[in-house]
Amino acid sequence: MTAAARRRFAFVDWTLRPDRDDDAPPTTYAFRCLTLTEDDTECAAMSPASEDPTEPQTWVFDHMREHPEHTGYAELIERPWVMWPGRPS
Ligand SMILES: [Zn+2]
């Protein structure tokens, strides 16, 4: 990076905002099993990520059919954000 570029960068204000552009990555949803197994480690089985929030919930029911004692889950939501040059408008 040149000195001029460094100087310019120092004067730019950045805003962090959710990325709602048409070409932004999609928001995705997934579920992870939090149930502790016999050796006290998390099961950690995870559903595939989906753009449909209800799809991973179906995975939870399938997982519990296989492991009836696994009743604790976390929902993982991945939402794209972007750094934008400039102050918030
Ligand atoms: Zn599990």
Side-chain angles (χ1 to χ4, degrees):
M1 191 185 281
T2 66
R6 235 189 337 265
R7 208 163 38 240
R8 197 161 50 240
F9 183 83
F11 286 104
V12 173
D13 290 306
W14 289 87
T15 303
L16 179 62
R17 62 164 176 78
D19 191 350
R20 297 198 179 91
D21 289 354
D22 289 341
D23 60 350
T27 297
T28 59
Y29 305 83
F31 270 88
R32 189 178 87 230
C33 182
L34 297 179
T35 305
L36 295 179
T37 56
E38 282 158 21
D39 60 354
D40 248 20
T41 58
E42 218 175 72
C43 165
M46 200 162 102
S47 76
S50 172
E51 293 176 43
D52 175 356
T54 63
E55 220 172 88
Q57 294 174 16
T58 306
W59 174 88
V60 170
F61 282 89
D62 291 344
H63 185 67
M64 207 182 134
R65 246 190 303 280
E66 279 177 53
H67 309 276
E69 71 282 13
H70 290 199
T71 54
Y73 295 88
E75 183 183 28
L76 310 162
I77 302 174
E78 187 171 283
R79 195 184 315 278
W81 285 63
V82 66
M83 288 296 281
W84 197 255
R87 292 173 186 275
S89 49

